[in-house]
Amino acid sequence: MTIQSINPATGERLRSFEPLSESQIEEKIGRAAETFQRYRLIPVASRAQMMARAAEILEAEKERFGRLMTTEMGKPLRAAVEEAVKCAWNCRFYAEKAAEFLADEVIPTGATRSFVRYQPLGPVLAVMPWNFPFWQVFRFAAPALMAGNVCLLKHASNVPQCALAIEEIFRRAGFSEGAFQTLLIGSDQVERVLDNPRVMAVTLTGSASAGSSVAKAAGERIKKTVLELGGNDPFIVMPSADIEEAARTAVKARVINNGQSCIAAKRFIIAEEIADEFERRFVEGMESLKVGDPMDGTTDIGPLATEDILETLEEQAQETIAQGARVLTGGQRLMRAGYYFAPTVLTDISTDSPAYLEEMFGPVASLFRVRDLDEAIRLANDTTFGLAASAWTNDEKERDRLIDEIDAGLVFINAMVASDPRLPFGGVKSSGYGRELSREGIREFVNIKTVWIKDEPETKLAETE
Ligand code: NAP
């Protein structure tokens, strides 16, 4: 049994689910394919009404959904409730904008009329992670459904109740049963789903290794993929920045979602001139955080989502320390029930240690000191990942160089990185390819159909009649 809800704050097992059998999976894919033939013909305005209804349900029951998220993966309840509200925003955004994003695009050529039409592909599989158990799903599903596709969700095995709750939201909003279905399956069953010729495409949000294996399976079957993978994002602070504001934001940027966010800042790259002050403020900020029960409204950091994640983080930290890193604060798990790790800051990190090379998925920050902007950019780019970057400076020339020279899908200046339905989201290098959100997101899973029409001249038509 691999699909189970375990409360990470206590270690208590809440519910277990038997994975779907092969015939059950086939039945659901069949239902998706049949539904698609009808659903694709529904006008965008009707889809928008259902999507707006999904937004209403999310808002009206945000507390219930928030509690479910917190119970299954441990994020502070406050943040979980905000996540439900953000999903509602995303649903409304696509309900309002889909018609504009998908309108025919006329392109003048030698034809009487030539244009591009955006049409749905069919059933799309989404393999999703647990860290934002609602947001990750809605940011895929809202544009996919508005474009006329139907969705199959394989959610992470530790959040099955969230997966079922999302299916219920779409059903109650008026989408037919086959338009959005949750498949309670393990990762070893994903390839079987992709093997079905009626499944047209796959999007995966998760680790680089999962992305690589799903992309390989999809590539062998010539199916479109979007990959949203991990990151080792830099947070650069230069002397002209507001250091106090940067240090305060740095704490939030590292520990958001208990430190388990792909776009959480992980490597703090600080100009030598201001490094002592930044380090003092940052360490103080990390030490002031309240770690504890995620259901308690005053908690800043809850537990890590699973025991495996806690063990991996602990090993990465221990190995980095064994390779010479200095612990400025924290450095170990907290000895209590549940999967808690102390907010941690490491420095003097060797270039071959896990903290330098790998993504640390928890509240562990790596602090680096650099001489100048050249060194800051070189260090920021010295990673296999390329998801996002936050850079702090009030110098215009520095700002332009950071925007141009950082290899990442998103660069935020004087702010922490955040996703927003209006802006494209995605990475380069091992952080994946393709984009979610905005106009770009809805156009990932469509057939970009070129149409070229030449009208016969009237005289010629008359001769042939
Ligand atoms: P994960 O272990 O890769 O799991 C993600 C999803 O992939 C789960 O549904 C998992 O199923 C499935 N999966 C894992 N291995 C697979 C395989 N070989 N074949 C098919 N499916 C497979 O990642 P995670 O630990 O849940 O999530 C954390 C990672 O996601 C981090 O690296 C984080 O940075 C990344 N992430 C990226 C973004 C982004 O937008 N770029 C957003 C959020 C998270 P099971 O649960 O059944 O194993």
Side-chain angles (χ1 to χ4, degrees):
M1 169 52 63
T2 54
I3 300 175
Q4 48 188 11
S5 282
I6 294 176
N7 183 344
T10 59
E12 181 198 354
R13 192 163 70 165
L14 306 168
R15 281 189 74 180
S16 308
F17 297 83
E18 203 59 53
L20 295 182
S21 66
E22 276 188 26
S23 63
Q24 287 170 317
I25 295 172
E26 287 305 309
E27 194 186 314
K28 283 184 187 275
I29 295 173
R31 187 179 302 141
E34 280 159 30
T35 303
F36 175 63
Q37 294 311 331
R38 296 188 302 278
Y39 182 69
R40 66 184 304 175
L41 304 175
I42 292 179
V44 177
S46 307
R47 292 179 207 151
Q49 275 175 0
M50 296 188 278
M51 198 55 74
R53 173 80 190 115
E56 283 166 18
I57 296 169
L58 280 158
E59 276 171 350
E61 296 169 40
K62 61 185 182 197
E63 296 289 338
R64 173 166 85 91
F65 298 134
R67 283 187 167 275
L68 187 55
M69 289 183 234
T70 298
T71 307
E72 282 200 310
M73 55 67 65
K75 73 173 63 197
L77 180 60
R78 215 171 348 118
V81 172
E82 281 167 16
E83 183 169 332
V85 173
K86 189 168 177 181
C87 292
W89 176 24
N90 191 50
C91 289
R92 280 212 184 87
F93 174 78
Y94 279 107
E96 285 163 15
K97 299 293 263 185
E100 174 193 326
F101 291 159
L102 300 172
D104 288 351
E105 214 172 289
V106 175
I107 298 175
T109 63
T112 313
R113 186 171 151 78
S114 46
F115 60 94
V116 179
R117 176 158 293 175
Y118 300 95
Q119 293 187 306
L121 295 179
V124 181
L125 172 66
V127 182
M128 289 289 141
W130 46 265
N131 61 340
F132 292 93
F134 270 50
W135 172 243
Q136 301 294 354
V137 176
F138 276 91
R139 80 181 189 182
F140 150 73
L145 285 166
M146 284 308 301
N149 296 297
V150 296
C151 306
L152 295 162
L153 169 66
K154 181 268 178 276
H155 215 327
S157 294
N158 56 324
V159 289
Q161 298 191 74
C162 286
L164 293 170
I166 295 168
E167 184 181 67
E168 179 208 306
I169 291 169
F170 284 119
R171 196 75 42 80
R172 284 170 57 202
F175 290 93
S176 58
E177 203 185 334
F180 184 99
Q181 296 175 89
T182 283
L183 306 178
L184 289 180
I185 56 174
S187 55
D188 56 340
Q189 292 170 288
V190 167
E191 190 162 355
R192 290 305 299 256
V193 177
L194 284 176
D195 206 30
N196 189 309
R198 288 170 295 182
V199 175
M200 304 308 290
V202 58
T203 179
L204 179 138
T205 301
S207 59
S209 66
S212 158
S213 110
V214 166
K216 182 167 176 251
E220 279 167 357
R221 294 159 178 88
I222 322 210
K223 295 189 179 182
K224 163 89 189 237
T225 44
V226 166
L227 298 180
E228 295 286 358
L229 309 177
N232 199 2
D233 289 359
F235 186 105
I236 300 168
V237 187
M238 299 306 293
S240 64
D242 177 340
I243 312 301
E244 197 183 337
E245 171 73 7
R248 199 176 29 248
T249 309
V251 173
K252 197 170 159 208
R254 176 56 283 206
V255 304
I256 183 171
N257 212 37
N258 303 342
Q260 304 160 120
S261 167
C262 53
I263 49 168
K266 286 154 194 152
R267 295 176 299 142
F268 296 82
I269 299 171
I270 316 300
E272 187 68 63
E273 210 178 312
I274 47 142
D276 285 343
E277 185 189 347
F278 179 90
E279 181 182 302
R280 181 177 53 76
R281 290 182 185 277
F282 183 52
V283 171
E284 268 172 28
M286 291 290 272
E287 287 176 344
S288 72
L289 295 168
K290 185 174 168 201
V291 182
D293 177 4
M295 288 292 180
D296 179 340
T298 62
T299 292
D300 298 305
I301 304 189
L304 298 175
T306 67
E307 196 166 12
D308 279 358
I309 292 161
L310 175 64
E311 280 167 8
T312 303
L313 188 69
E314 194 176 31
E315 279 166 25
Q316 289 173 307
Q318 279 172 357
E319 210 180 311
T320 303
I321 295 163
Q323 285 176 264
R326 232 168 5 106
V327 181
L328 297 176
T329 186
Q332 73 289 312
R333 72 162 76 188
L334 298 176
M335 288 306 161
R336 58 171 86 164
Y339 314 134
Y340 292 91
F341 200 88
T344 296
V345 183
L346 304 175
T347 194
D348 298 341
I349 291 155
S350 92
T351 54
D352 52 1
S353 64
Y356 194 92
L357 299 169
E358 300 167 10
E359 179 179 40
M360 303 271 278
F361 223 50
V364 179
S366 304
L367 203 64
F368 300 87
R369 291 172 181 237
V370 287
R371 279 184 310 277
D372 54 22
L373 189 67
D374 284 337
E375 197 184 345
I377 292 172
R378 206 166 39 245
L379 182 53
N381 288 339
D382 190 20
T383 165
T384 54
F385 294 108
L387 189 54
S390 170
W392 294 69
T393 174
N394 284 307
D395 177 316
E396 214 168 307
K397 283 207 185 83
E398 283 184 353
R399 188 190 64 193
D400 290 346
R401 281 197 60 199
L402 287 156
I403 294 167
D404 280 345
E405 295 177 37
I406 294 221
D407 301 329
L410 304 97
V411 176
F412 278 51
I413 304 290
N414 295 335
M416 68 181 266
V417 179
S419 58
D420 179 323
R422 297 164 294 186
L423 296 169
F425 186 96
V428 294
K429 297 158 76 179
S430 295
S431 293
Y433 50 75
R435 291 293 178 266
E436 290 191 303
L437 304 176
S438 76
R439 179 195 302 267
E440 268 63 36
I442 199 168
R443 289 192 178 173
E444 286 289 358
F445 294 115
V446 289
N447 174 10
I448 301 171
K449 187 182 273 180
T450 295
V451 183
W452 202 96
I453 303 168
K454 179 147 193 194
D455 286 338
E456 291 292 329
E458 271 174 36
T459 46
K460 205 168 164 200
L461 276 176
E463 276 168 26
T464 52
E465 269 166 11

